[in-house]
Amino acid sequence: MAVVVSTTFVGGYVLGVWDTSQIMATKERRFVEDAEANLSRSPTSIPTIGRPVQKTPQTVGYSGPELWEAVNSSRTKHGVNTLSQRDILCTIAAIRLSEIRQLGKLDGHDGFQGVFDKYKGDLEMPSNVSEFLISGYPTPDQAVDAWLNTLGHRKLVAGGEYVWGCIYAAEGFGVAITGF
């Protein structure tokens, strides 16, 4: 009798775990498909994760393409290659920007590793990937200057090791994901 009860309990538990993993895999697949659909439209269309962000009037704002252009223009001025877009890096940048916008502030890169780990097996993923965050600068050129004037971030703009990248920006926040 105890064996039947134990077997039934374990079987039910395994079935529940399996069903939950299938539901989560479906939700994650839909989220990625939505993010990729947004990527094909414009890097400024960012899916939000969880509950909607309370939007307040912002005087600071530029788009991802504007920040992308400012970064690549500055890279050229510093004698390094412009970044080439990699879609997998755009997926990570879109997710990270959404997370930061929802949080309402930069997170000190706390969320990066978890997002990166989900996608690190992708065949297009570069060997070395870095995240660069920015907020509070009214123009893309001022954001680039801020990155240039901090030692750890200067390599985004003046370091030639990065070959691929993607940049998303909205509501005064910017996320650059780069790799080589």
Side-chain angles (χ1 to χ4, degrees):
M1 180 69 170
V3 171
V4 172
V5 170
S6 293
T7 304
T8 303
F9 175 79
V10 171
Y13 177 79
V14 169
L15 184 60
V17 169
W18 171 257
D19 287 346
T20 301
S21 70
Q22 294 302 309
I23 291 167
M24 293 309 294
T26 300
K27 285 184 177 189
E28 183 176 348
R29 191 170 36 256
R30 285 182 187 152
F31 177 78
V32 170
E33 289 169 359
D34 289 345
E36 289 173 351
N38 284 332
L39 288 173
S40 67
R41 279 184 270 163
S42 165
T44 58
S45 301
I46 307 299
T48 54
I49 298 172
R51 62 186 170 87
V53 176
Q54 188 78 346
K55 296 193 179 193
T56 57
Q58 298 267 341
T59 58
V60 178
Y62 41 84
S63 68
E66 291 170 320
L67 187 54
W68 173 264
E69 179 61 36
V71 166
N72 276 328
S73 176
S74 189
R75 287 176 65 87
T76 300
K77 289 175 189 169
H78 285 88
V80 297
N81 59 299
T82 59
L83 296 170
S84 296
Q85 184 174 309
R86 260 292 156 97
D87 289 343
I88 188 64
L89 300 179
C90 290
T91 299
I92 294 171
I95 292 168
R96 288 293 291 139
L97 181 60
S98 180
E99 290 174 347
I100 289 167
R101 287 176 57 212
Q102 184 174 18
L103 185 61
K105 64 180 182 175
L106 299 181
D107 68 358
H109 307 288
D110 287 342
F112 174 69
Q113 192 64 51
V115 175
F116 172 76
D117 286 346
K118 281 184 151 182
Y119 299 98
K120 67 183 177 186
D122 189 283
L123 296 176
E124 287 193 2
M125 185 65 71
S127 299
N128 295 289
V129 177
S130 296
E131 176 184 62
F132 299 89
L133 304 175
I134 196 84
S135 74
Y137 294 91
T139 69
D141 289 330
Q142 289 173 328
V144 170
D145 286 343
W147 273 328
L148 264 170
N149 290 315
T150 55
L151 187 59
H153 298 98
R154 181 176 176 77
K155 63 185 175 178
L156 167 64
V157 180
E161 67 267 20
Y162 294 109
V163 179
W164 300 289
C166 191
I167 299 175
Y168 271 63
E171 298 176 357
F173 294 105
V175 176
I177 305 293
T178 60
F180 61 91

